[in-house]
Each structure stands twice: as structure tokens, then as C-alpha cells.
Amino acid sequence: MDKTSHARRMHPLSVVFFIGKAIKDLLYPLLVFVVSTLLRGEVSLKWIIGGGGGLAALLLVVAWLQWYRFVYVPTTGGLRVEQGVFVRKKLWLTMDRVQSVDDSAGVLHRLFGLVKLQVETAGGKKPEIELSGITLAAAAEIRDALGLTASSNEADSAPAADEQPELDAAARSDTDASPDRAAASLRLSLPQLLLYSATSGRIGVVLALLGAAYSQLDDWLEQTFDVWDTILLLGSAAGWTWLGLMLLAAAWLLAAAGTIIRDYGFTIELRDERLTIRRGLLERKQVTVPLQRIQAVHLVDNLLRRPLGLVTVQVVTAGYSGKEGQAAMLFPLVKESELARFLQQFAPAYRLPQQWNPLPRRALRSYVAVPTAAASLAAAAIIIWAPAPYSWLSAILPLLTLLEGWMRYRLGAWTVVDDAQQLALRYGSLSRHRVLVPRRRVQWHRLSQTPLQEGRSLATVHVAVASGMLPAVFHIRHLGVDHGAQVRGWLAYRSGGADSDGNA
Amino acid sequence: MDMDKPSQKIDPGALKAWRVSGMLSAVCYSIAVAVLIWLTVRLDWPIWVWITAVLLAGAGATLEIAVLPAVKYRQWRYAVDDEQIELRHGIIVLKRTTIPMVRVQHVDTKQGPILKRYGLATVTFSTAAGSHEIPALTERTADEIRSRIARLAILSEEEL
């Protein structure tokens, strides 16, 4: 890469992205202004055209200036960026400090064959550098400069792969076509995607959104026509049930559609110790996570997927892509029976435990007693204070709590995978969570005991790993104290060894 | 919780320092209560308003001056060796926290005006997943621990 490093500008289309950003930033003041003028009723066509035109012209000029004044220079082993219309901001990045280089492409990007590139270091501020629209070749050049050549030849093949309809059932294919050690890649097949979307628990989110939207629209609806009258016209209990069911179905469809758009064509690829994840229907997103940065593997299977033996694989990483303290999804859906193989392929340092140490029998009381008592009290209060016929429904509250506590007790477990130097924790009630934490990733650990736990000689184990700005703390409640001490002893660094002896 | 407690207690001076800070908050409570009583008289508020306020303030003050410092002092134990830092603390929930030395990113000591008055300081160690502290050590011990951990942490540097 000896091409002399002279300053470059982004693709001229970036002006559009700058305009978009400016509008986004100005949205609220603009809205306030528009609404207030409308309410004052002094709107004349002249004002609208003049004001709108003036604003548009201003935005265009400012965005163009921003684009013109934004210059980047890929140098050998680094990247320099200068930006700012009046206040010049200069930024140098060297390749050894770069944490990740991610690109994404929206609809507009894809039409023009562009990508948005985000470069990040370990520091706290979100993306250090964001190039809002550059050509694929320019992106490859930057990757070259930052010494990430391996994924650079991937960058131009990524959209090509998009065109190829490789949605057939053969999801699993080891790419040995590429010369440099491409370890493995896996693509979510269409049936899998549909299954994944159908079983995603995001219906709750959609319902909440609908509720919020309704509460916002309520006033307006009341003025136009009386919804409740129309609903009451439907009258009968059957009508109500149908309405409820239809609403649920609609929410479910919406949630599924959202998931499909977000995770369409989910692809994971391991190459040169880096995982590259691509996904998205309208906007292609790409995330690169170095294997080195993975702090823990988190396996989740929710209530709907557990009977089907399907697991979502997530990882906790120490900061990536501006998503602090959030787990990154490694792959949406993996069959339980293929899980071990999947981990071996894409997260070779992690191993599924063969067997688990369950919680002691006395822990059941700790899981069940207090919550059920609280729920009973609440139910009693409802039965006493609420009107008669429906209030009795609340009697199932303690039962549900009891069931939930029992499920928590059944799922709570821990184990140590000695040959992989890993602690494995299992917890959850409706969803089952399994967390694999290598010993050398544990930032701190803690054994805690409430007075109640002390009486039953139980304890809670906490294990913290790094994850961006926030710590990710996993815990198992109501372990036997003896087991707790065992975990603590195993985690304790004795004789300086992360490698050798497991017990202290 | 069972077994070997970490050996070191924090400085007894902490008791005094915490009590003084408790008294300071008691002063704040009294001012708030006084204002409330004055308002009650002026505005004819019901009598229970200031009675509850007085009770709450009283309870808070006794807790902060008499109870909490003593319990906290009794519970706090720590130990620093070459491999790890151990903390044992907690008023109702007893916590035993272990921080492997290799995970410590930096150590610092800090000192508010009250702690300074008693020649005490708090040592904080940060890891990549949050920080922990030992409250109220004598300035000398705090500095000793800080430099010791700093030295050990450098020795055992590892990638994150």
C-alpha cells in the first residue's frame, strides 16, 4: 500500500447523509416551530414556500460544506481524518489501537454501491470515526491501511453474495474456496429465519409500542369518533375475544416482520481470528468481533424454542460497535444437537459442559417461599378490595409464582469445564440461559449471603466479565455454601496459573 | 459466611469519621424538619406531617450515627496478597468479593474533607468490569496498598 497517501473525500452522495443527519438533529426544534406557526394560524403559502426553500437551501449548503471539509487520509498503518466547517477536528488513528471496523449499507448506499464505515478503538466514545458514504474500493483501501486486509477482499464480495440466491437449505458450508485461512462460515437459511422470527419473543415489545401509540392517539381518536362505542357495538364476549386475538396476531406478525427485516441473510464467518457478522434485508449491517475480545458465550433458548431444541448464541464482548454492555448475537438459531460443533467452529475456546451440578433441595424453598408469600398477599389484597367476579382470577397469581420459582430452581446449575478452564452457569425460568465464562475473563467474583440464605447454608455466586462501559455480572442464586466455596476456590488465582491447576 | 475471613480490619478511626458524617446529615435533617414545622404552623397543615418527618429524621439520624458505622466497621475485612484482593463486607447481605490481581487496571486513593480530618483515605481499584473500594484506611496503609497493587498489577500484565 505505497500509494502515496493524499487526502480523499467521501463519495459526493454523502452530502445527502449529512443533510439527513442535520434534519435528524433539528427535528424537534423544527417540529415545535412548524406546529406553533400552524397553531397561530398565520400560514400563508408564501411563508411555507419561502421558509421551506430557505431551509432546504441552507441545509444543502451546510451539508455540502461539511462534506467538502471532511477529508481522510489512509496512511501506512493508520488513518487520519480532518473534519469540521469552522472548527477543524483532526484525528489520527494507528492500526494497533483499532478495535473494530464495521460497515453497514442502507438502501441508498446499496443503490450506489457504497458503504458506511465505522472505525472504533477501545475508548468510550461511540464510533471514533464514521465515514458516512464511501465506495467499496475506498473501504477496502482503509481496511488495507489499518491492516485488516483479510476482511477487505470480503468487502467487495459481500454485495455479490447478496445477489446470489443461496437461500437453499444448505445453510452450513465450510468455505475452503478462499486461499487465506478462512475457518468457517454459516448462513441462516430462509426456513430457519422464518422459524426464528415466528418464535422471537418480541411480540411483547410490539404490544408495548402499540399501547404507547394508542395512548398518544387516544385524545385525537376521541375527537374524531368514539372507538369505545364501536368496540362496545361488537358487544358480546365472543366479539371481545376475537378482537383480542386479532390484535395479538397482528402484533405477532409485526414482530416477526421486524425480525425478518433485521436478521435477513444472517451470516457469520470466522477468518483470521475474527468473526464477521452480516445481516439485514434493507440495510446490510456488518460487525467484526475479534475472537480475542469475546469475554463470555451466552446461550439463550426462550419458551417457544426450548421444545424445538433451538438455541440463540450470543457473546459478551469488551466493547464493540458502540453497543455498550450489550450482548452481540453470534447466530440466531442453532440446533441443540449441533451446538457443540457450532462452538467448536466459531468460538473454539468455548466448550459445552457435559453435566451440570444442580442446586441442593433446600434451595427450592428459597426460590419459592418468599415470592409465593408475596404473591399470595397481593392476591388476597386484590380479592378483598377489587369488585367480586373478576377479582378471584387473581388467585392464580400465587400459583404462577410458585411455578416460576420451581422452574428457576430446576434451571439453576453450575459446573466447571476443566479442560477449557471455564465456569458454566445456567439460570432462568421461562427462558433458559447458559453462560460460559473462561476463568481468565473473570474480572471479579463474589459470594454473597442474605440472612435467610445463611440459615439454610446457601449462597449466591456472582461473576463479572468486561463488556464495554458496563460490567456484565452473571449470578446463580441459592447455591449450597460448599459449592459456592468450590467455585470461589476454582476461580481463585493461585500459583499464578490460568493454565494449570484447577483447584486451590 | 464460613471459613477464613480476610485478616485486615479497616482503621478504627473510620468509626469516628462515619459518625461525624452521620452527624452532618443529622444537621441537614434537623434543618429540613425545622422548615417543615415552620411551614406546618404557617399553613395549617395537619399535625401528622411534621410528626412523621420528626420520626423519620430521628430514625435516620440514629441509624447513621449509632448503628451503621459500628456494623460497617465490624463487618469490613480485607486482604491483599500477591494474587488477589479479597473484600468482605455488607450490612444485611454479606458479600465476599475477590478481585484477581491480574485484573486490576488502576488503583487510586481519595479523601473527602471528613476522612482527611481523621487522616484516612479510601482505596479504589478498577477492573474492566467496574470498581471496588476499601473505605477508610490510614493514609499510610492506603498509600502502601496502592503502590503495592500498582506494582503487582504491572508485574502481571495480561491482555484484556
Side-chain angles (χ1 to χ4, degrees), chain A residues 230-283:
Chain A
T230 352
I231 291 175
L232 285 177
L233 273 182
L234 283 168
S236 63
W240 277 88
T241 331
W242 276 114
L243 193 74
L245 282 179
M246 268 159 59
L247 211 72
L248 272 177
W252 177 77
L253 272 178
L254 259 171
T259 312
I260 288 177
I261 289 173
R262 202 190 51 174
D263 291 331
Y264 176 84
F266 200 107
T267 312
I268 182 178
E269 184 179 78
L270 177 68
R271 189 196 293 261
D272 289 334
E273 305 285 292
R274 284 167 186 278
L275 286 168
T276 306
I277 294 160
R278 288 190 212 91
R279 66 177 193 196
L281 181 62
L282 301 175
E283 185 184 8

Side-chain angles (χ1 to χ4, degrees), chain A residues 292-293 318 440-451 464-466 471 488 492-496, chain B residues 1 3 81 83-84 86 89 92-100 102-103 127-129 132 158-160:
Chain A
Q292 244 330 284
R293 304 286 295 174
R440 60 194 207 91
R441 298 298 188 189
V442 174
Q443 297 290 329
W444 53 267
H445 55 98
R446 168 183 287 169
L447 209 58
S448 71
Q449 214 174 25
T450 63
V465 297
R488 234 171 65 88
Y493 267 72
R494 286 295 167 215
S495 63
Chain B
M1 213 166 323
M3 48 195 173
D81 65 26
E83 261 121 17
Q84 57 193 24
E86 290 231 31
H89 61 110
I92 294 169
V93 180
L94 200 57
K95 299 167 193 145
R96 271 195 76 160
T97 309
T98 310
I99 307 143
V102 289
R103 299 284 159 249
T127 68
H132 301 270
E158 256 193 41
E159 93 292 17
L160 170 64

Side-chain angles (χ1 to χ4, degrees), chain A residues 298-415:
Chain A
H298 188 173
L299 308 166
V300 191
D301 31 351
N302 68 21
L303 193 62
L304 292 172
R305 292 182 193 140
R306 252 163 88 190
L308 303 171
L310 295 168
V311 184
T312 302
V313 183
Q314 300 180 327
V315 287
V316 179
T317 62
Y320 88 101
S321 303
K323 286 186 180 158
E324 303 292 3
Q326 223 181 336
M329 183 152 65
L330 222 53
F331 207 71
L333 226 49
V334 180
K335 270 197 199 119
E336 180 73 44
S337 53
E338 287 172 20
L339 203 53
R341 205 169 104 84
F342 177 86
L343 286 181
Q344 199 195 337
Q345 270 186 317
F346 293 102
Y350 294 81
R351 209 140 316 150
L352 267 188
Q354 297 303 315
Q355 99 296 340
W356 296 87
N357 301 321
L359 301 178
R361 277 210 59 86
R362 58 185 188 278
L364 178 58
R365 257 173 64 197
S366 293
Y367 272 104
V368 159
V370 175
T372 310
S376 309
L377 273 179
I382 292 174
I383 288 171
I384 293 171
W385 303 111
Y390 294 112
S391 64
W392 288 101
L393 278 176
S394 63
I396 60 168
L397 214 62
L399 266 172
L400 288 178
T401 322
L402 190 79
L403 189 68
E404 209 252 353
W406 182 75
M407 285 160 94
R408 275 188 194 286
Y409 162 72
R410 285 299 303 270
L411 274 182
W414 69 279
T415 191

Side-chain angles (χ1 to χ4, degrees), chain A residues 1-3 74-78 95 101 117 137-153:
Chain A
M1 62 207 90
D2 59 326
K3 343 167 181 170
T75 54
T76 323
M95 57 184 283
V101 178
L117 202 74
E141 189 186 19
I142 289 173
R143 280 212 158 86
D144 262 358
L146 296 175
L148 301 168
T149 331
S151 25
S152 79
N153 51 19

